[in-house]
Amino acid sequence: MENCEKVFIIQPKTDDSFAVLHSEAISLIQSAGAEYCGTAYQNIKQVNPSTYLGSGKLEEIKNTLDAMEESDITVLFNGELSPSQTLNISACLGDRKVIDRTTLILDIFARNAVSSEGKIQVELAQLRYIYPRLKGKGSQLSRLGGGIGSRGPGETQLETDRRYIRTRIKYLENKLSETELRRTLQTERRAKENVKIIALVGYTNTGKSTLMNALTNSDVLAKDALFATLDPTARKFEIDGHEFLLVDTVGFLQQLPHNIIESFKSTLESALNCDLALFVCDASGDWEMQFDTSWKTLKALGFNRKYLKVLNKCDNSNADNAYGSDFIRISAKYKIGFDNLKSAILHSFDDDFAVCELLIPYDKLSDYSRVSGYLSEKNRVYRDNGIIVTASIEKIHLDKFNQYLKSKI
């Protein structure tokens, strides 16, 4: 790739999760439009408070970078660094640009934010991350060049003083509060309209957008990249005459920075207030870790809704017995397992609906038509004394059909 930023990874090995974190880092680099060019691993027994790594390892990394033909390589520390550690590592590596995992994720968010709300959330996350580091960044604040860490609506404010940044953060928080109020009103209106909300949640790049497109016959952006979808997207679809609203949400990741979670909390309200959540995991990856990460992140935000565990991309594996029995196995790409998924969704709402047999006299048809939107007809039989209708009715609306009720099935 020509004119493509090259990124070299420093991967600390603090526990057994380093391999997954390293693989994710490579995907994050590609999602940021850059190119991965190598890794230095280091076992960490004790963190150096000044440079995180020891001086000998940093000298070894510097020699490795100097030996590369590329003159300008960005160094990604695949973890979180303090401001002083970032500056000190940069100095030890010949004043090369050093970023950490949070900076990289924020850059991807800045690239992918489309809506005004998404851009506000990205800027807020950037400023919350930068604010405590303002003193330590020093001359880096004047860097207006391209590449990872320099994009996004927040970068142009970084040369201003702390007071301005605090004011800006407050302003953005107020803007998000207004958005949250609108979203709350929208949720209340949907509840009144009897629309059941199903939220797609889970790890990033597990195929949530592909699943949305397959279920709703829509064309939401579905891309093999981390954090391709940031803004919540809602589409209606039906299962056996029952209408649902399917909402796609931002994906999760291991060690997702707290500032990002806080800034995107308003977007995640659609998951927190849903009637049913589908936790989508990737059968070709570490699906247990994906579910645990997503579950813990949502639980920390107060999630307490009904949910189903969905294992996507099962067309890539023949080892069906390797997965937990509590997962619904599907392939969103090839629409495999959709009958089981739809059946499980309907079954999740069994307590909310009743299947009834109604007798609609012919002289009451106009009255019946005014309330028929509250049920889903399964069958009609025309008799001399009226129409026998078999229908599924949400229990909170049963009283609207008392005069027609013949029996419950």
Side-chain angles (χ1 to χ4, degrees), residues 154-209:
E155 276 300 309
T156 56
Q157 275 79 40
L158 299 185
E159 291 182 333
T160 61
D161 59 18
R162 286 178 175 269
R163 184 187 305 170
Y164 181 87
I165 291 181
R166 284 199 302 269
T167 302
R168 184 69 180 168
I169 288 174
K170 187 66 177 176
Y171 168 77
L172 294 173
E173 288 174 341
N174 289 337
K175 291 286 286 184
L176 279 184
S177 294
E178 294 173 6
T179 303
E180 189 173 340
L181 177 60
R182 287 198 300 271
R183 201 183 299 278
T184 300
L185 294 173
Q186 190 178 51
T187 301
E188 291 174 353
R189 187 175 70 250
R190 285 169 177 167
K192 290 179 180 178
E193 293 174 351
N194 192 34
V195 178
K196 297 293 185 185
I197 299 175
I198 300 175
L200 292 173
V201 299
Y203 218 68
T204 184
N205 204 29
T206 55
K208 295 188 297 298
S209 296

XYZ file of all heavy atoms in Angstrom, residues 154-209:
466
model
N -12.583 16.438 17.777
C -11.995 16.985 19.000
C -10.583 17.483 18.832
O -10.101 18.262 19.653
N -9.855 17.067 17.803
C -8.431 17.380 17.713
C -8.133 18.868 17.614
O -7.160 19.342 18.165
C -7.824 16.668 16.501
C -7.416 15.228 16.763
C -6.373 15.108 17.865
O -5.360 15.793 17.813
O -6.626 14.327 18.807
N -8.980 19.632 16.928
C -8.680 21.048 16.755
C -8.821 21.847 18.041
O -8.344 22.966 18.127
C -9.619 21.658 15.694
O -10.968 21.412 16.083
C -9.355 21.030 14.339
N -9.442 21.291 19.076
C -9.592 21.988 20.350
C -8.454 21.705 21.329
O -8.395 22.306 22.403
C -10.909 21.559 21.041
C -12.123 22.338 20.577
C -12.635 21.840 19.255
O -12.664 20.648 19.029
N -13.039 22.732 18.375
N -7.537 20.812 20.952
C -6.578 20.341 21.943
C -5.516 21.366 22.334
O -4.802 21.149 23.303
C -5.913 19.053 21.451
C -6.884 17.904 21.214
C -6.147 16.641 20.860
C -7.759 17.678 22.425
N -5.374 22.440 21.578
C -4.411 23.474 21.948
C -5.028 24.523 22.870
O -4.380 25.477 23.262
C -3.843 24.132 20.685
C -2.935 23.197 19.887
C -2.328 23.875 18.660
O -2.955 24.809 18.154
O -1.255 23.459 18.232
N -6.284 24.378 23.170
C -6.934 25.329 24.069
C -6.680 24.921 25.507
O -6.214 23.815 25.787
C -8.452 25.365 23.806
O -8.972 24.063 24.052
C -8.746 25.776 22.381
N -7.022 25.804 26.448
C -6.725 25.520 27.851
C -7.770 24.611 28.479
O -8.797 24.289 27.884
C -6.597 26.822 28.655
C -7.865 27.668 28.597
O -8.934 27.117 28.242
O -7.787 28.863 28.907
N -7.491 24.171 29.706
C -8.355 23.233 30.400
C -9.763 23.791 30.598
O -10.739 23.044 30.528
C -7.745 22.878 31.764
C -6.552 21.942 31.668
C -5.973 21.689 33.052
N -4.910 20.704 32.963
C -5.082 19.394 33.084
N -6.297 18.932 33.308
N -4.078 18.550 32.978
N -9.857 25.066 30.833
C -11.174 25.658 31.062
C -12.049 25.519 29.837
O -13.235 25.188 29.945
C -11.029 27.140 31.427
C -12.370 27.800 31.772
C -12.225 29.289 31.960
N -11.206 29.611 32.948
C -10.741 30.836 33.161
N -11.197 31.836 32.439
N -9.830 31.053 34.074
N -11.478 25.764 28.685
C -12.255 25.640 27.451
C -12.703 24.191 27.255
O -13.854 23.926 26.871
C -11.444 26.094 26.241
C -12.236 26.011 24.943
C -13.046 27.066 24.536
C -12.207 24.858 24.171
C -13.801 26.976 23.375
C -12.952 24.759 23.013
C -13.747 25.818 22.613
O -14.492 25.715 21.470
N -11.797 23.244 27.506
C -12.142 21.835 27.313
C -13.235 21.409 28.286
O -14.167 20.690 27.918
C -10.886 20.945 27.459
C -9.946 21.203 26.288
C -11.276 19.467 27.498
C -8.685 20.365 26.301
N -13.150 21.880 29.544
C -14.214 21.566 30.504
C -15.552 22.124 30.020
O -16.586 21.466 30.123
C -13.876 22.155 31.880
C -12.827 21.388 32.666
C -12.884 21.745 34.141
N -12.702 23.168 34.363
C -11.528 23.751 34.585
N -10.425 23.018 34.609
N -11.447 25.051 34.791
N -15.531 23.351 29.480
C -16.754 23.973 28.963
C -17.303 23.182 27.776
O -18.514 22.965 27.661
C -16.477 25.424 28.533
O -15.963 26.151 29.642
C -17.738 26.102 28.025
N -16.395 22.746 26.920
C -16.790 21.977 25.748
C -17.406 20.634 26.154
O -18.428 20.201 25.602
C -15.574 21.743 24.837
C -15.878 21.022 23.529
C -16.682 21.869 22.595
N -16.978 21.176 21.350
C -17.844 21.598 20.448
N -18.516 22.728 20.644
N -18.049 20.922 19.345
N -16.792 19.966 27.122
C -17.313 18.689 27.612
C -18.716 18.875 28.173
O -19.628 18.083 27.903
C -16.365 18.083 28.676
C -15.095 17.561 28.006
C -17.060 16.954 29.438
C -14.039 17.067 28.976
N -18.897 19.939 28.953
C -20.211 20.214 29.530
C -21.248 20.458 28.439
O -22.387 19.966 28.510
C -20.123 21.437 30.453
C -21.401 21.721 31.235
C -21.698 20.622 32.231
C -22.926 20.951 33.064
N -23.283 19.829 33.972
N -20.863 21.222 27.423
C -21.763 21.513 26.310
C -22.174 20.217 25.599
O -23.361 20.000 25.299
C -21.073 22.452 25.323
C -21.787 22.610 24.000
C -22.921 23.408 23.883
C -21.332 21.934 22.868
C -23.585 23.536 22.672
C -21.978 22.057 21.648
C -23.106 22.857 21.555
O -23.757 22.975 20.364
N -21.193 19.339 25.334
C -21.490 18.084 24.638
C -22.360 17.174 25.491
O -23.248 16.481 24.972
C -20.179 17.375 24.270
C -19.303 18.090 23.240
C -17.964 17.380 23.094
C -19.998 18.190 21.891
N -22.109 17.154 26.797
C -22.940 16.349 27.694
C -24.394 16.828 27.666
O -25.318 16.018 27.690
C -22.379 16.405 29.118
C -21.089 15.619 29.295
C -20.475 15.808 30.674
O -20.836 16.805 31.353
O -19.622 14.992 31.055
N -24.579 18.147 27.615
C -25.943 18.700 27.543
C -26.612 18.322 26.223
O -27.812 18.016 26.190
C -25.909 20.217 27.705
C -25.555 20.639 29.118
O -25.738 19.874 30.067
N -25.039 21.853 29.277
N -25.844 18.346 25.129
C -26.394 17.971 23.825
C -26.830 16.506 23.829
O -27.889 16.159 23.297
C -25.348 18.196 22.726
C -25.022 19.657 22.454
C -26.132 20.362 21.699
C -26.169 19.946 20.246
N -27.186 20.704 19.478
N -26.007 15.642 24.456
C -26.359 14.230 24.522
C -27.566 14.007 25.428
O -28.376 13.106 25.183
C -25.172 13.407 25.028
C -24.092 13.061 24.001
C -23.035 12.158 24.622
C -24.681 12.385 22.771
N -27.692 14.825 26.469
C -28.858 14.720 27.357
C -30.142 15.024 26.594
O -31.176 14.374 26.794
C -28.720 15.677 28.545
O -27.642 15.299 29.370
N -30.076 16.027 25.696
C -31.234 16.347 24.864
C -31.580 15.171 23.953
O -32.753 14.827 23.771
C -30.938 17.590 24.019
C -30.763 18.868 24.838
C -30.309 20.028 23.972
O -30.247 19.867 22.733
O -29.994 21.103 24.528
N -30.542 14.548 23.401
C -30.750 13.390 22.534
C -31.352 12.239 23.325
O -32.252 11.534 22.851
C -29.412 12.939 21.919
O -28.837 14.025 21.208
C -29.610 11.772 20.971
N -30.863 12.052 24.556
C -31.369 10.984 25.409
C -32.844 11.207 25.743
O -33.629 10.254 25.779
C -30.542 10.916 26.690
C -30.834 9.703 27.554
C -29.868 9.586 28.719
O -28.787 10.184 28.653
O -30.206 8.887 29.686
N -33.228 12.480 25.953
C -34.629 12.790 26.223
C -35.496 12.450 25.024
O -36.574 11.855 25.167
C -34.774 14.273 26.586
C -36.202 14.773 26.840
C -36.840 14.005 27.999
C -36.205 16.271 27.117
N -35.023 12.823 23.827
C -35.773 12.489 22.607
C -35.897 10.977 22.446
O -36.943 10.466 22.056
C -35.080 13.091 21.368
C -35.219 14.602 21.245
C -34.919 15.058 19.838
N -33.573 14.709 19.428
C -32.506 15.475 19.625
N -32.641 16.632 20.264
N -31.316 15.102 19.213
N -34.828 10.260 22.769
C -34.852 8.802 22.638
C -35.829 8.185 23.636
O -36.535 7.220 23.337
C -33.440 8.241 22.853
C -33.256 6.858 22.254
C -31.867 6.327 22.559
N -30.830 7.159 22.008
C -30.417 7.108 20.755
N -30.980 6.263 19.924
N -29.448 7.885 20.320
N -35.886 8.762 24.845
C -36.825 8.273 25.864
C -38.263 8.473 25.407
O -39.109 7.578 25.537
C -36.596 8.999 27.202
O -35.262 8.757 27.644
C -37.576 8.502 28.264
N -38.551 9.654 24.859
C -39.890 9.934 24.352
C -40.248 8.999 23.193
O -41.391 8.541 23.068
C -39.993 11.399 23.905
C -39.875 12.450 25.014
C -39.822 13.856 24.411
C -41.039 12.335 25.997
N -39.241 8.721 22.362
C -39.451 7.814 21.231
C -39.759 6.406 21.735
O -40.654 5.724 21.213
C -38.195 7.801 20.356
C -38.354 7.087 19.033
C -37.089 7.168 18.204
O -35.993 6.858 18.672
N -37.219 7.597 16.963
N -39.032 5.968 22.784
C -39.262 4.648 23.359
C -40.659 4.557 23.958
O -41.366 3.549 23.803
C -38.202 4.343 24.442
O -36.895 4.388 23.856
C -38.437 2.974 25.062
N -41.086 5.622 24.651
C -42.426 5.641 25.244
C -43.503 5.596 24.164
O -44.529 4.931 24.333
C -42.580 6.900 26.110
C -41.726 6.873 27.377
C -41.797 8.181 28.135
O -42.405 9.149 27.605
O -41.244 8.253 29.254
N -43.279 6.309 23.063
C -44.247 6.307 21.968
C -44.348 4.914 21.341
O -45.440 4.437 21.030
C -43.846 7.329 20.902
C -44.917 7.482 19.807
C -44.580 8.567 18.826
N -43.464 8.223 17.984
C -42.267 8.789 18.045
N -42.036 9.731 18.936
N -41.297 8.433 17.238
N -43.210 4.238 21.187
C -43.231 2.891 20.626
C -43.967 1.927 21.555
O -44.658 1.014 21.094
C -41.797 2.404 20.393
C -41.127 3.053 19.183
C -39.650 2.750 19.134
N -39.028 3.314 17.948
C -37.713 3.410 17.770
N -36.892 2.988 18.711
N -37.230 3.926 16.670
N -43.806 2.130 22.868
C -44.507 1.273 23.834
C -46.013 1.457 23.702
O -46.778 0.493 23.758
C -44.037 1.595 25.246
N -46.447 2.707 23.523
C -47.866 2.982 23.358
C -48.397 2.389 22.053
O -49.549 1.981 21.959
C -48.117 4.492 23.382
C -47.922 5.133 24.757
C -48.164 6.635 24.695
C -47.961 7.283 26.058
N -48.138 8.752 26.016
N -47.530 2.368 21.045
C -47.934 1.822 19.745
C -47.808 0.305 19.695
O -48.012 -0.306 18.651
C -47.078 2.451 18.641
C -47.328 3.942 18.448
C -46.358 4.555 17.453
O -45.389 3.869 17.037
O -46.553 5.735 17.089
N -47.453 -0.293 20.834
C -47.377 -1.750 20.934
C -46.296 -2.345 20.036
O -46.465 -3.413 19.447
C -48.738 -2.372 20.587
C -48.806 -3.841 20.961
O -48.220 -4.249 21.953
N -49.516 -4.624 20.164
N -45.160 -1.651 19.899
C -44.045 -2.148 19.102
C -43.007 -2.782 20.029
O -42.472 -2.120 20.913
C -43.389 -1.014 18.290
C -42.193 -1.551 17.509
C -44.397 -0.380 17.344
N -42.751 -4.060 19.838
C -41.749 -4.764 20.621
C -40.361 -4.491 20.034
O -40.155 -4.641 18.821
C -42.013 -6.271 20.622
C -43.328 -6.667 21.277
C -43.301 -6.392 22.777
C -44.561 -6.888 23.452
N -44.602 -6.524 24.883
N -39.418 -4.095 20.893
C -38.074 -3.739 20.438
C -37.115 -4.884 20.723
O -37.017 -5.374 21.851
C -37.580 -2.457 21.131
C -38.505 -1.287 20.788
C -36.149 -2.141 20.720
C -38.172 -0.001 21.528
N -36.421 -5.317 19.686
C -35.387 -6.349 19.809
C -34.046 -5.692 19.486
O -33.878 -5.098 18.417
C -35.645 -7.525 18.853
C -37.004 -8.165 19.156
C -34.533 -8.557 18.952
C -37.378 -9.263 18.180
N -33.107 -5.787 20.408
C -31.798 -5.154 20.220
C -30.750 -6.192 19.852
O -30.665 -7.252 20.476
C -31.379 -4.415 21.494
N -29.966 -5.876 18.821
C -28.818 -6.702 18.464
C -27.610 -6.173 19.236
O -27.201 -5.022 19.039
C -28.548 -6.631 16.964
C -29.596 -7.267 16.047
C -29.283 -6.956 14.595
C -29.656 -8.769 16.270
N -27.066 -6.972 20.108
C -25.923 -6.552 20.915
C -24.826 -7.602 20.791
O -25.060 -8.722 20.321
C -26.302 -6.352 22.399
C -27.362 -5.280 22.551
C -26.802 -7.661 23.023
N -23.619 -7.243 21.234
C -22.542 -8.224 21.213
C -21.221 -7.632 20.785
O -21.074 -6.416 20.614
N -20.281 -8.506 20.595
C -18.917 -8.139 20.223
C -18.906 -7.485 18.845
O -19.791 -7.726 18.015
C -18.060 -9.402 20.200
C -16.651 -9.229 20.706
C -16.404 -8.966 22.048
C -15.562 -9.355 19.854
C -15.117 -8.825 22.526
C -14.269 -9.226 20.318
C -14.048 -8.962 21.654
O -12.762 -8.813 22.117
N -17.912 -6.649 18.616
C -17.807 -6.012 17.302
C -17.422 -7.039 16.232
O -16.688 -7.998 16.497
C -16.764 -4.872 17.322
O -16.749 -4.209 16.048
C -15.376 -5.375 17.647
N -17.960 -6.845 15.046
C -17.644 -7.668 13.873
C -18.076 -9.126 14.020
O -17.407 -10.028 13.537
C -16.136 -7.609 13.569
C -15.833 -7.923 12.104
O -16.649 -7.666 11.235
N -14.666 -8.489 11.838
N -19.226 -9.351 14.660
C -19.769 -10.712 14.746
C -20.915 -10.927 13.757
O -21.495 -12.011 13.723
C -20.284 -11.019 16.172
O -21.232 -10.021 16.565
C -19.134 -11.056 17.161
N -21.231 -9.900 12.971
C -22.259 -10.051 11.939
C -23.622 -9.521 12.329
O -24.640 -9.937 11.762
N -23.665 -8.575 13.275
C -24.966 -8.038 13.707
C -25.668 -7.308 12.569
O -26.874 -7.460 12.370
C -24.764 -7.096 14.906
C -24.236 -7.790 16.155
C -24.227 -6.880 17.375
C -23.298 -5.689 17.221
N -21.882 -6.092 17.060
N -24.934 -6.483 11.826
C -25.550 -5.730 10.724
C -25.991 -6.664 9.598
O -27.035 -6.446 8.968
C -24.569 -4.679 10.184
O -24.270 -3.712 11.181
